Amino acid sequence: AEAAGVTDRLRVARLDVTDPESVAAAVSHVITEYGRLDAVINNAGVGQLGTVEQIGVEAFRTALEVNFFGAVEVTKAALPQLRAVGGRLIAVSSLGGLIGQPFNEAYCAAKFALEGFLESLAPVAASTGVRVSVVEPGPVASEFVAHLEPSVPGLIEKAGPYEAAFKAYFATTAGLFEQAQSSAEAAATVVDVLNAEEPPFRVQTSDLARGLAGIKLSDLDGSAVQAVTGPWLT
């Protein structure tokens, strides 16, 4: 923020989306300081690599707690304030919220849940003047992937019968991330949604994301998605 010269435009407050008291305090802080809340962007997220036999059920609970229940908690706390001003509610989802991706079972399950929640909420919120949107990035060149747990070598070591598939998956995704957009490019889509007079419910942040989303949204029997993701493991 200092490097960009925008510190006078930012206020930073502690917020743990997995703690209801922290969420309530953050919303209350905004109202106390500014008197209103115009927009909320649910952006907190955690990645989780590995198939269920490797990572166990608890890893699914962790992914859901942050990526899904955290967004539900923030949304619930913010809706009365957004309703008062006809505000905007946005969630940064992922192509993983549309397309189930190999070795991303926990992450995709959480993002699928997030999109189902907001697609259901959108018309209800709109009836009270609040517009809801989900933003779906594809690969983004950020530190998100670097912070995945467990580490890639650790996952391969524990892959067992999936070792060959895992190695192929990492080779494929390395190629996809060569096409990754910058964080700023992805963020520009969020800004566009905030500023749009009639914001879409669903929007992708890159041509790559739009192409893959189009495959899923027209894939009635699931074969088209499997044709895309299956070769990632060979």
Side-chain angles (χ1 to χ4, degrees), residues 146-231:
H147 292 146
L148 291 176
E149 292 291 344
S151 67
V152 171
L155 283 167
I156 291 176
E157 182 181 339
K158 297 179 180 179
Y162 307 109
E163 181 177 354
F166 227 140
K167 289 179 177 178
Y169 166 79
F170 285 121
T172 298
T173 53
L176 288 174
F177 270 90
E178 291 178 357
Q179 307 173 57
Q181 65 182 153
S182 69
S183 297
E185 290 169 333
T189 300
V190 177
V191 175
D192 289 343
V193 173
L194 283 171
N195 289 327
E197 185 174 341
E198 294 292 332
F201 169 72
R202 174 178 284 114
V203 60
Q204 296 79 40
T205 66
S206 66
D207 289 339
L208 175 61
R210 281 185 283 275
L212 290 171
I215 291 172
K216 172 58 182 272
L217 293 172
S218 62
D219 185 19
L220 294 181
D221 67 358
S223 60
V225 167
Q226 296 299 310
V228 170
T229 60

Side-chain angles (χ1 to χ4, degrees), residues 18 25-26 31 38 40 48 53 62 68 75 83-84 86 105 119 122-123 133 139 153-154 179 192 198 201 207 220 224:
T18 67
I31 300 305
D38 292 281
V40 168
Q48 182 68 64
E53 290 180 84
T62 298
F68 174 60
T75 297
R83 189 163 57 244
E105 296 151 27
E119 193 166 55
S133 299
Q179 307 173 57
D192 289 343
E198 294 292 332
F201 169 72
D207 289 339
L220 294 181

Side-chain angles (χ1 to χ4, degrees), residues 1-222:
E2 290 177 354
V6 295
T7 52
D8 61 325
R9 299 170 58 190
L10 297 177
R11 295 294 184 273
V12 179
R14 181 176 177 81
L15 171 58
D16 179 352
V17 299
T18 67
D19 180 354
E21 291 184 2
S22 176
V23 171
V27 173
S28 177
H29 170 75
V30 170
I31 300 305
T32 298
E33 186 163 350
Y34 299 102
R36 60 187 287 158
L37 178 61
D38 292 281
V40 168
I41 302 170
N42 283 303
N43 188 51
V46 60
Q48 182 68 64
L49 275 177
T51 191
V52 63
E53 290 180 84
Q54 291 175 291
I55 61 177
V57 174
E58 197 57 37
F60 282 72
R61 298 187 198 280
T62 298
L64 282 159
E65 195 64 40
V66 176
N67 297 340
F68 174 60
F69 287 111
V72 172
E73 193 71 53
V74 171
T75 297
K76 179 178 180 294
L79 274 174
Q81 306 301 332
L82 296 175
R83 189 163 57 244
V85 297
R88 302 284 172 89
L89 176 71
I90 297 174
V92 178
S93 179
S94 165
L95 273 183
L98 273 180
I99 297 175
Q101 299 170 29
F103 298 112
N104 282 267
E105 296 151 27
Y107 179 74
C108 288
K111 289 296 189 179
F112 269 52
L114 175 66
E115 295 217 6
F117 161 54
L118 292 176
E119 193 166 55
S120 301
L121 175 65
V124 179
S127 72
T128 67
V130 178
R131 302 301 295 268
V132 176
S133 299
V134 293
V135 176
E136 298 167 338
V140 177
S142 73
E143 296 182 7
F144 182 80
V145 174
H147 292 146
L148 291 176
E149 292 291 344
S151 67
V152 171
L155 283 167
I156 291 176
E157 182 181 339
K158 297 179 180 179
Y162 307 109
E163 181 177 354
F166 227 140
K167 289 179 177 178
Y169 166 79
F170 285 121
T172 298
T173 53
L176 288 174
F177 270 90
E178 291 178 357
Q179 307 173 57
Q181 65 182 153
S182 69
S183 297
E185 290 169 333
T189 300
V190 177
V191 175
D192 289 343
V193 173
L194 283 171
N195 289 327
E197 185 174 341
E198 294 292 332
F201 169 72
R202 174 178 284 114
V203 60
Q204 296 79 40
T205 66
S206 66
D207 289 339
L208 175 61
R210 281 185 283 275
L212 290 171
I215 291 172
K216 172 58 182 272
L217 293 172
S218 62
D219 185 19
L220 294 181
D221 67 358

